[in-house]
Amino acid sequence: MTDEELKQNNQDSPNITKEKKPINKKKIIAEILIVLLISAVTFTIILSFQDISEVWQTMQSANLKDLAIAIACLILYTLIWPLSLCLIARAKNIKHHFLDSYLVGYTEHFFNGITPFSTGGQPIQIYLYTKRNIKAAESTGLILTNFVAYMIATNLFAIAALVFYSRFSANFTPSTVWMVGLGFAMNFFTLVFMILMATCKFIRDFFKKVLLALCKIKFIGKFLTKLVPVFDTYCANAQTASKEIFSHVGTFIGAILIRGVSLVFYYAIPFFILRSLDVSLAWNMLPLIMLASAFAITTMVWVPTPGGTGGIEIAFTTIFTTFVGVTASIGSAGMVIWRGITYYFLMLISAISYIIFEIKVKHDHKKEMLNNDSCTTVRE
């Protein structure tokens, strides 16, 4: 399909950005409650093997200086994280305020944290961009490219972590080591699939053929047939947007570097948490602890619960009690603190950024309506 055909199809096809379905707030509340329930069960199971009072005392005795550094790392991670999306949006010459992309980039943590496989962030970001009158296909290209940059960064850390595989996986048994292989395989193939989705026509054609095959079923074909051309045009425009961004090699490499730098701070958090719990860790252990963090998170990407809850906690405790050689109570205390600031606290500030974005959109919309009314009055 040529560029002219894409433009023509885009004009002739229904504009899917016009129908902006509001986010279901009741559904969000339900998902938050599910996260809290899963978290409660997970922590209950893990801490049932420990003396809870001992774990609590260990947490209370945490060194505030190192704990403050851990929180500072989290703050730096969150401040840097949205900049890759801002950079990509700038390269695409999206006409909007810098703060919009920054807030949209921030919302990812909250919606990823309450959805299975952490998949809710990107669709919501596309939706939020459409509220700024950016076409859905164009915003999809932005978000898809940004996600690819993130996946490249995480896979680079994962590959580096495999160098120390024998040390990080020492506590995995033959019956559980499959988790490591599955996690790393899923992380890599997700990257490959996203690149193909962003660039390859045959992937688009494959999905189109699947939809056309489903249309042969009468009750499905009644409503799906007319949507297939719209879907095909949407995907074509999204791929065009992605390819355009990929052509800006410096911008794309910059996005990868931004994601990489943000992950450096994120993966460093356990190091300072363990130091705050009086674990003797020399500074030369910092790179290894960072890679151990990457190893633990990558190992559990296959867990279908929101934010990997239930799996990531077990992986963290298992890997760090073995690799660092800390006691079970310190390992559990470190896990609770780490999960508290990197998941629950991060979701909180991400939710706040979403609220700020919504308020900003409503304010700008009212301002625009007032300006239009003023212009109409002057003309009359």
Side-chain angles (χ1 to χ4, degrees):
M1 189 177 284
T2 64
D3 291 340
E4 290 299 322
E5 289 173 330
L6 285 176
K7 290 177 182 178
Q8 186 61 41
N9 282 340
N10 196 39
Q11 292 171 356
D12 296 338
S13 301
N15 190 346
I16 62 176
T17 64
K18 290 181 180 178
E19 297 181 5
K20 301 172 185 177
K21 297 181 180 179
I23 295 174
N24 192 324
K25 293 180 176 60
K26 291 183 178 179
K27 185 178 179 181
I28 291 177
I29 294 172
E31 288 171 339
I32 292 173
L33 292 175
I34 291 172
V35 167
L36 294 176
L37 177 61
I38 295 173
S39 300
V41 172
T42 299
F43 285 110
T44 300
I45 293 173
I46 294 175
L47 296 177
S48 66
F49 297 100
Q50 312 295 328
D51 183 342
I52 297 179
S53 61
E54 185 179 350
V55 173
W56 178 245
Q57 287 177 2
T58 303
M59 292 173 61
Q60 286 184 312
S61 64
N63 181 306
L64 295 181
K65 178 182 177 182
D66 286 312
L67 194 57
I69 296 175
I71 295 173
C73 286
L74 178 72
I75 292 172
L76 287 170
Y77 162 73
T78 58
L79 291 175
I80 296 170
W81 179 267
L83 294 178
S84 61
L85 182 59
C86 296
L87 181 65
I88 290 171
R90 181 182 177 185
K92 192 68 177 63
N93 293 320
I94 297 296
K95 295 181 179 180
H96 71 300
H97 197 277
F98 170 86
L99 184 58
D100 289 331
S101 278
Y102 196 83
L103 291 172
V104 169
Y106 234 125
T107 61
E108 184 177 354
H109 302 294
F110 174 69
F111 290 100
N112 275 347
I114 62 173
T115 51
F117 290 110
S118 300
T119 55
Q122 289 74 38
I124 291 298
Q125 287 178 313
I126 294 169
Y127 162 76
L128 294 179
Y129 263 134
T130 63
K131 297 189 77 170
R132 283 307 196 187
N133 297 319
I134 298 171
K135 291 180 179 179
E138 202 165 42
S139 59
T140 299
L142 295 177
I143 301 304
L144 191 57
T145 308
N146 192 47
F147 185 68
V148 169
Y150 165 68
M151 290 305 301
I152 290 175
T154 58
N155 273 276
L156 289 174
F157 274 101
I159 291 170
L162 286 176
V163 175
F164 303 95
Y165 172 81
S166 59
R167 298 179 66 177
F168 297 153
S169 63
N171 213 30
F172 284 88
T173 64
S175 61
T176 59
V177 75
W178 61 268
M179 298 179 184
V180 179
L182 180 59
F184 276 76
M186 281 190 65
N187 208 50
F188 176 74
F189 284 114
T190 299
L191 169 61
V192 174
F193 180 72
M194 288 297 109
I195 292 175
L196 294 176
M197 279 285 292
T199 58
C200 295
K201 185 177 181 295
F202 76 85
I203 290 289
R204 189 175 86 231
D205 291 340
F206 170 76
F207 284 116
K208 183 179 178 181
K209 288 178 181 178
V210 170
L211 291 176
L212 290 173
L214 290 172
C215 288
K216 293 179 180 179
I217 304 172
K218 288 185 178 180
F219 74 92
I220 295 178
K222 285 182 180 179
F223 65 88
L224 188 60
T225 301
K226 62 183 179 181
L227 295 177
V228 173
V230 180
F231 172 79
D232 186 52
T233 301
Y234 172 81
C235 292
N237 289 332
Q239 287 188 342
T240 300
S242 295
K243 289 177 182 178
E244 183 181 341
I245 297 168
F246 285 137
S247 67
H248 297 275
V249 179
T251 296
F252 186 62
I253 292 176
I256 296 173
L257 290 175
I258 289 171
R259 285 295 166 110
V261 171
S262 68
L263 287 173
V264 166
F265 289 107
Y266 184 79
Y267 292 145
I269 293 172
F271 175 81
F272 295 102
I273 290 177
L274 291 172
R275 280 174 62 96
S276 74
L277 298 175
D278 291 328
V279 178
S280 181
L281 288 175
W283 284 100
N284 60 5
M285 284 290 290
L286 176 58
L288 281 176
I289 297 296
M290 289 169 57
L291 293 178
S293 302
F295 187 90
I297 293 169
T298 305
T299 295
M300 290 299 170
V301 296
W302 58 272
V303 178
T305 55
T309 305
I312 192 66
E313 292 88 352
I314 295 172
F316 181 93
T317 307
T318 300
I319 291 171
F320 281 95
T321 52
T322 304
F323 172 61
V324 183
V326 298
T327 63
S329 61
I330 290 179
S332 296
M335 179 273 294
V336 172
I337 296 172
W338 174 72
R339 196 60 168 159
I341 65 174
T342 62
Y343 182 58
Y344 302 102
F345 179 67
L346 188 58
M347 277 208 303
L348 175 62
I349 59 177
S350 180
I352 292 172
S353 72
Y354 163 67
I355 294 170
I356 293 172
F357 178 84
E358 289 286 4
I359 292 172
K360 187 175 184 296
V361 169
K362 288 181 180 179
H363 175 268
D364 292 347
H365 181 64
K366 287 181 180 179
K367 186 177 180 181
E368 185 179 348
M369 289 182 66
L370 288 173
N371 288 337
N372 290 337
D373 290 342
S374 298
C375 291
T376 303
T377 304
V378 170
R379 288 172 184 173
E380 291 176 351

